Every structure is written in C-alpha cells, then in structure tokens.
C-alpha cells in the first residue's frame, strides 16, 4: 500500500454552487466585509494609539484584538475572493498547511485575549483599589506576549500531527484551508487528529469560556452592589460590549468544532466556518464602537480635531 500512495501537490478550491449572478454578488459582499474588517479594526487600533484617554489595560488588549482580527481575515479572504473570480482556483499543499496553521494560531490568540480582557474587567470592578497592581503595565505586557507565544506553540501540535499523515486525495476541499477540511484529504486514519482537535477545543474554548463566565458572575454580583446609578451604567456599558464579542466568538467556534458533524451538512458547515472566520472580525469593531461610550467619545474627539485642522 505504501508504494501506491502519491502525495498531492495542488488542492482545488471549488467555487460556490450558485449561479454567476449570485457569485458576483457574493464576491462583492465578501469584498465589502473584508474592507469593513480592515477599516473598522484599523480605526479602533489607530484611535487607541492616538488617544491618551484610551491608554489603559482594557484598550491595550482591545488593540491586540484588532490586530488579530485584521491578521485573521487577511489569512484567507484574499484567496477566497480570488477563488470566486476565477473559473477554477488551486492552492499548493504547503501554503494550504501554512494557512491552516495561521488560522489556528490567530483563533487561539483571540480566545486568550478575550479571557484576559474578562480578567481585566473583573479586576477593575471587583478589586478597584488593587487594580493598578493587578493590571500594571508589566503584567499586561506579560499577558499579551504569553497569549501570542502560547497560541502559536499550541497551533503547532495539530500541524505536526497533520504533516505525519499521507495525503493522496481527494484533491479538493469544500472551502478555505481550515483544519477539518485539510484532514479530509488524508488517506489514513485521522482518529488521533480528531481526538487532539477535540481536546484542544476543550482546552482552548470550553476552559476559557468557563473562566469568562465565572468572571462575569463575580462582576455581576459586584455591579449589583454599586449604589450609584451612573456607576452601574458605566460598568454595564464596558462589560456588555465584551460579552457580545465573547458570545459571538465562543458560540460560533463551539458549534463549528465541537457539535456532532452529522448535524451539519457540507454547505451548512461552510456557512458556519464563514461566519466564524469572516463576520466575527468585522463585527467586533462595530460592537465596541457602538456599545462603548469611551470609544465613541474618542471617535468624536478625533473627528473634531480633524475638522479644526
């Protein structure tokens, strides 16, 4: 059997099973979403860097979230748009593997940054007198660097296991190069890979989600003890935007990677992956700009300054 195995060099990315008119519409929509992702996250990152009032731990981590979302979308959307515009699109095997690795790494970074942001809200609301010690700039830097380094190291584990598999067909995946699609190309038993992916999901999704929920239960109890109505409103304002992002990210990721696959047909799985990978990075800056009074204030100050100059 070993002698009959041939390694694939190119992978075909089939087009969406829709008519030409709808395909053009999809291309325009995805281009608009990608542009909004770049602009929205770029504006958030720029405002945080330029506005001194946003030089706090919460917005320090929000700037990292913006960088992750830009990188995450840029990893696969340009190739997806090329696929929509061409009659037949292919990608070489090793660039596909690299795209898979970056897809995992950026998803892990976003997960850990969201957990750190929930800890920051917990420290700020539940321990206000010790907040400057708990979230000093040294602590923030260590948490941010550790999130990036650990995420890339964790993404190497399934990548190494994938590279040990023989890939001899089929030569086609249903959408962009994400780990579940790439595994279908293997001509060997992928049971170990599936177990590792599920264990990684429990470790990087369920575990952090439990930490976030515990943090917010403590935060809710602390908010209800606040006597001032203005204080409660401000606390709910900063926490509600973060909870929306957490719900979108963890909810779509858990449905995509941990729900039984028999419940999701191939086309439905493609839609779930697109939502998890394309819409979340676009929606994050909108949520933070529309639901966060401090970000809206910084935007108004920036626009006012621009008019005066």
């Amino acid at each position: 059997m070993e002698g009959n195995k041939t390694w694939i060099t190119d992978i075909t990315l089939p087009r969406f099973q829709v008519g030409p008119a709808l395909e053009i519409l999809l291309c325009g929509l995805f281009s608009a979403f990608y542009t909004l992702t770049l602009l929205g996250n770029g504006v958030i990152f720029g405002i945080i860097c330029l506005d001194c009032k946003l030089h706090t731990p919460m917005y320090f981590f929000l700037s990292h979230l913006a960088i992750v979302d830009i990188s995450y979308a840029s990893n696969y959307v340009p190739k997806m748009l090329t696929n929509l515009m061409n009659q037949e699109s292919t990608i070489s095997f090793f660039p596909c593997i690299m795209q898979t690795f970056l897809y995992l790494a950026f998803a892990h970074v976003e997960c850990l940054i969201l957990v750190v942001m929930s800890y920051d809200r917990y420290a700020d609301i539940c321990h206000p007198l010790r907040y400057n010690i708990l979230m000093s700039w040294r602590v923030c830097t260590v948490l941010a660097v550790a999130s990036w380094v650990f995420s890339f190291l964790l993404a190497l584990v399934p990548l190494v296991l994938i590279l040990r598999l023989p890939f001899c067909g089929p030569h086609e995946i249903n959408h962009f190069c994400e780990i579940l699609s790439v595994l279908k190309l293997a001509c060997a038993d992928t049971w170990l890979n599936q177990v590792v992916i599920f264990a990684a999901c429990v470790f990087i999704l369920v575990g952090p989600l439990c930490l976030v929920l515990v943090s917010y239960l403590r935060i809710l109890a602390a908010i209800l003890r606040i006597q001032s109505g203005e204080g409660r409103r401000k606390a709910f304002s900063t926490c509600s935007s973060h909870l929306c992002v957490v719900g979108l990210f963890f909810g779509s990721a858990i449905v995509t990677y941990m729900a039984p696959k028999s419940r999701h047909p191939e086309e439905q799985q493609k839609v779930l992956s697109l939502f998890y990978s394309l819409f979340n990075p676009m929606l994050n800056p909108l949520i933070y700009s529309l639901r966060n009074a401090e970000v809206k204030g910084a935007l108004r100050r920036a626009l006012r300054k621009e008019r005066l100059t």
Side-chain angles (χ1 to χ4, degrees):
M1 285 180 63
E2 292 295 327
N4 293 331
K5 288 181 181 178
T6 57
W7 287 79
I8 59 176
T9 56
D10 292 314
I11 299 167
T12 302
L13 303 172
R15 305 173 74 174
F16 285 83
Q17 302 300 313
V18 294
L22 187 53
E23 202 165 59
I24 293 171
L25 177 62
L26 285 175
C27 186
L29 281 175
F30 290 157
S31 299
F33 291 155
Y34 182 50
T35 303
L36 285 173
T37 299
L38 297 181
L39 285 176
N41 287 287
V43 167
I44 292 288
F45 180 78
I47 286 176
I48 291 171
C49 291
L50 295 174
D51 196 307
C52 296
K53 291 186 178 180
L54 299 184
H55 290 179
T56 63
M58 175 182 172
Y59 296 104
F60 170 73
F61 292 115
L62 181 56
S63 67
H64 280 266
L65 190 64
I67 293 170
V68 172
D69 285 337
I70 290 173
S71 305
Y72 197 58
S74 299
N75 180 42
Y76 62 87
V77 173
K79 186 64 180 175
M80 186 189 301
L81 294 175
T82 303
N83 183 26
L84 281 169
M85 290 185 289
N86 294 336
Q87 287 297 323
E88 184 174 325
S89 182
T90 61
I91 184 172
S92 298
F93 178 73
F94 285 105
C96 183
I97 291 295
M98 182 55 65
Q99 192 179 72
T100 303
F101 169 68
L102 293 175
Y103 179 92
L104 290 172
F106 291 134
H108 295 163
V109 175
E110 179 153 358
C111 178
L112 294 180
I113 291 294
L114 289 173
V115 173
V116 172
M117 290 175 73
S118 70
Y119 172 70
D120 170 73
R121 293 297 83 213
Y122 165 77
D124 185 26
I125 295 171
C126 298
H127 302 283
L129 299 179
R130 298 175 56 207
Y131 179 70
N132 290 334
I133 298 173
L134 293 173
M135 295 302 292
S136 66
W137 283 112
R138 182 178 179 181
V139 171
C140 291
T141 304
V142 169
L143 288 173
V145 171
S147 297
W148 282 90
V149 172
F150 179 77
S151 297
F152 275 78
L153 290 176
L154 184 62
L156 282 174
V157 176
L159 183 76
V160 170
L161 290 176
I162 282 177
L163 291 176
R164 291 167 61 89
L165 294 171
F167 289 89
C168 53
H171 296 247
E172 183 177 284
I173 58 177
N174 194 35
H175 44 300
F176 56 90
C177 295
E178 59 93 29
I179 191 164
L180 296 180
S181 300
V182 173
L183 277 180
K184 293 177 182 177
L185 304 177
C187 50
D189 185 11
T190 60
W191 176 83
L192 177 61
N193 300 77
Q194 299 283 356
V195 169
V196 169
I197 291 170
F198 187 83
C201 287
V202 172
F203 181 71
I204 204 70
L205 288 176
V206 179
L209 179 60
C210 291
L211 292 176
V212 171
L213 293 177
V214 169
S215 297
Y216 272 98
L217 285 175
R218 300 287 298 273
I219 288 169
L220 179 62
I223 289 175
L224 293 177
R225 290 196 298 267
I226 297 175
Q227 300 297 324
S228 164
E230 178 65 22
R232 285 189 182 184
R233 187 199 62 77
K234 185 178 179 181
F236 273 120
S237 174
T238 56
C239 292
S240 60
S241 56
H242 182 247
L243 272 176
C244 287
V245 172
V246 166
L248 281 172
F249 177 82
F250 284 98
S252 54
I254 288 173
V255 169
T256 301
Y257 290 101
M258 300 193 72
K261 292 299 173 281
S262 58
R263 297 184 182 179
H264 304 306
E266 195 73 17
E267 287 301 312
Q268 187 179 348
Q269 187 70 26
K270 181 188 289 189
V271 172
L272 285 170
S273 296
L274 284 175
F275 183 86
Y276 171 63
S277 310
L278 181 61
F279 299 136
N280 277 0
M282 180 192 70
L283 292 175
N284 287 351
L286 292 176
I287 292 170
Y288 276 106
S289 61
L290 293 175
R291 298 188 61 86
N292 191 297
E294 290 179 329
V295 173
K296 286 191 286 189
L299 277 169
R300 283 193 293 268
R301 286 192 296 272
L303 292 173
R304 196 179 304 120
K305 195 174 184 179
E306 183 66 25
R307 289 197 201 100
L308 292 174
T309 56

